[in-house]
Amino acid sequence: MGVAAMTGSAGKGHLRGTHRLVPPEQTWAAIRPLLSVFGITRIADVTGLDDLGIPVYQAIRPASATLAVSQGKGVTHDLAKVSAAMEMIEFAHAERVTLPTARGPATECGDGSYGLRELQLVAGSLVSDTVVLDWLQGRTVLSGRTVPVPKQYVEMSNEFRREWAPPLFETSTNGLASGNCLDEAVLHGLYELIERDCLSGIEGMPRSTHTRVDPETIHDDDCQWLMARFRAADNWFEIVDATNDLDLPCYVVNLWSPSFPVLVSGSGCHLDPAVALNRALTEAAQSRLAIISGTRESIPEQVYLLQHVRQERPPPPGDDVPTVAFTRPDRADTTLADDLTAVAEQLVRRRGREPFYVDLGLGHEAIAVAKVVAPGLRFEAAHGLVERVGPR
């Protein structure tokens, strides 16, 4: 199912903190010679800027048409370094999409399998079935059927253009993912779409209604190490179970420190609940380091304004706050292809829609990039670094 030489039908070669086809050291050996091809000039270790000691790296690409700095995290330095580099490689693929296109309105080029207004739209979007668009060829995950996808929904660029374009789609990295093979990339993108749908479900809800996970019931070694790093630096944190009707483990971690009194968050979704929680814990640390380093252009201004209004250590949850044990079953299989099938089938069962993707790969061995689309899944465009704390 992929352009890259490797396929997701092979057994997983790495299971620590994430499920990948090959270990991060092998991925790094493959992508390092290509960093300059994608305009990446530096890979920076910023772990030491915080007092947690959780590995976080940045990839720098000065001529980017989107963000010049991407970030990566993990329980090891190799994982964090590869994560940062691959995120920037995703941007490079999505900024200039040169795939063949058809041109016309949805009434002529669409296939009727989804409505344009089911996609992520900007406020006041003028999109309709009569708007003339360029269309890429996508493919459904399970049946392999071709499906047209608006190019403007897939391509990302902040470059100024001397032309008028009506506001249509919310261009974001949601569903954009990379991997060592196409199955891996599509699976990662699908996890992200489901994660954002879960977050949209708890967005704006009073915190007292969030379901907390009891940290004492978490026995995964890496998750225990990450939580120990939080405690050693006198951090307050909580783990929220955000799993929704899709029944795929999703967690949110809110993090606060007396040395950095701003509440930040991280989230993760995966068939293996330990991997989902690992992602949430490491992303919370990454979010804070993004603010501390100050190099990422997408950090909203209010994040820094908040630092002048010290947030006190959040109070412990009341007795009425629901708390659960960390007992969700691990349903991950032995191959990425099987995991992808399981997640896509679950989406069809619960939401009645088959997800699809556009293969953005450029033919580089061991680098696959895809934009995954799941019409109807919710997405908060404001989702970012700082947890918006609602009333208790």
Side-chain angles (χ1 to χ4, degrees), residues 213 217 251 273 324-330:
V213 176
T217 64
Y251 299 98
V324 297
F326 189 70
T327 56
R328 292 191 180 276
D330 175 6

Side-chain angles (χ1 to χ4, degrees), residues 311-335:
Q311 297 180 4
E312 297 301 322
R313 179 183 288 268
D319 295 336
D320 59 332
V321 173
T323 303
V324 297
F326 189 70
T327 56
R328 292 191 180 276
D330 175 6
R331 290 179 290 168
D333 213 317
T334 56
T335 73

Side-chain angles (χ1 to χ4, degrees), residues 50-52 229-237 254-264 288 292 306-314:
D50 200 354
D51 55 5
L52 294 176
R229 297 304 306 169
F230 289 170
R231 295 187 183 104
D234 193 28
N235 281 248
W236 172 94
F237 69 95
N254 298 321
L255 179 65
W256 178 96
S257 167
S259 63
F260 190 84
V262 174
L263 200 66
V264 299
R288 194 160 81 189
I292 293 171
L306 282 172
Q307 295 182 79
H308 300 292
V309 182
R310 180 184 177 88
Q311 297 180 4
E312 297 301 322
R313 179 183 288 268

